[in-house]
Amino acid sequence: MNIQEYEKVKDMDYLEYCDYLQSKYGISTTSYFTKNWSKCSKVTRTAEGLIVHHKFEDHAIKLGDVKYARNNPYEWQLPENLVYCDYLEHLLLHIMICETPAAGKNKNENVGIGGVINHLVPELNDLFSGWEPSQPWRKNCKDRIINDKDVYFVLLNRFRMSYEGIEYCKGMPLYEFPDTLLKSASSNYDTWSIQNNITLYDEICNYLESQKANDPPSLAEDNNNRFWS
């Protein structure tokens, strides 16, 4: 997804964007899991740099992990409930879930946010800092988005604006920005050091700080009302 496409889709709601991506890439020809909860190999399209997102992850977390998936309706694994996307489109999907989780989501599950701060952002930080994946599928996914760092920064700021100012437990911030975004997925490997990400982290910090001038005065209050309502 380049910046021109983001401008086209940024005001869609989550389900509209899922429909848009299904139209863009097509519907899966198979379910994600079989009825015996084995992953269907034919669901994968990483040769094209695309990964699979579960549409019902606005209701439940980790629907691609059998330990979590089998506790939810099997219908959520059907082809019509799968969405192909690149890394940046996947990040936008999870940000949209954070902004408007389903009213009937699973109790005590914080949908969307784990995918942002624990998985997608750490890996994208490494990729945009020059990490070269050894797995061919991951390299394909990198190649599809590597020229769109400007979109990545815009998405990080959108996520910040969704959570800036939210407080819990005696006024402590729920997420510290930008620190919660300055993570690495690969720094535990001998082939990569978090020091390799420092230049990107500085760019992220400077960009997010520069965007605060555009925040509405009521951002913190609006976010707290949205989050705790």
Side-chain angles (χ1 to χ4, degrees), residues 7-49:
E7 289 296 325
K8 175 182 175 181
V9 303
K10 66 180 182 179
D11 294 323
M12 293 181 180
D13 65 30
Y14 172 68
L15 292 178
E16 288 173 338
Y17 190 48
C18 286
D19 289 344
Y20 170 85
L21 291 173
Q22 286 182 325
S23 177
K24 179 179 178 180
Y25 295 121
I27 304 291
S28 176
T29 59
T30 184
S31 300
Y32 193 87
F33 289 114
T34 68
K35 290 188 176 180
N36 293 324
W37 296 103
S38 297
K39 185 177 178 180
C40 299
S41 60
K42 292 183 179 180
V43 77
T44 301
R45 288 176 61 181
T46 51
E48 304 168 59

Side-chain angles (χ1 to χ4, degrees), residues 74-94:
Y74 177 74
E75 288 73 21
W76 294 0
Q77 304 294 333
L78 296 179
E80 61 267 28
N81 293 321
L82 304 177
V83 179
Y84 289 106
C85 50
D86 67 28
Y87 270 143
L88 294 174
E89 291 163 341
H90 200 194
L91 179 58
L92 178 54
L93 285 164
H94 275 264

Side-chain angles (χ1 to χ4, degrees), residues 14 37 43 86-87 94 111 119 129 143 146-147 150 155 170 182 185 190 199 210 216:
Y14 172 68
W37 296 103
V43 77
D86 67 28
Y87 270 143
H94 275 264
V111 292
H119 299 287
S129 295
D143 290 345
I146 197 60
N147 294 321
D150 55 343
L155 292 176
K170 300 180 181 178
L182 307 182
D190 292 339
T199 297
S210 73

Side-chain angles (χ1 to χ4, degrees), residues 149-203:
K149 187 168 75 171
D150 55 343
V151 179
Y152 181 49
F153 280 25
V154 168
L155 292 176
L156 291 181
N157 188 58
R158 177 167 174 163
F159 178 70
R160 177 194 67 81
M161 290 188 66
S162 295
Y163 281 91
E164 189 82 275
I166 295 176
E167 298 178 347
Y168 79 110
C169 297
K170 300 180 181 178
M172 295 176 62
L174 185 63
Y175 296 104
E176 290 277 9
F177 289 95
D179 292 357
T180 196
L181 301 175
L182 307 182
K183 298 180 179 180
S184 168
S186 309
S187 59
N188 292 329
Y189 305 148
D190 292 339
T191 57
W192 193 252
S193 167
I194 198 169
Q195 294 301 313
N196 295 326
N197 293 10
I198 295 301
T199 297
L200 180 75
Y201 292 167
D202 287 344
E203 292 177 15

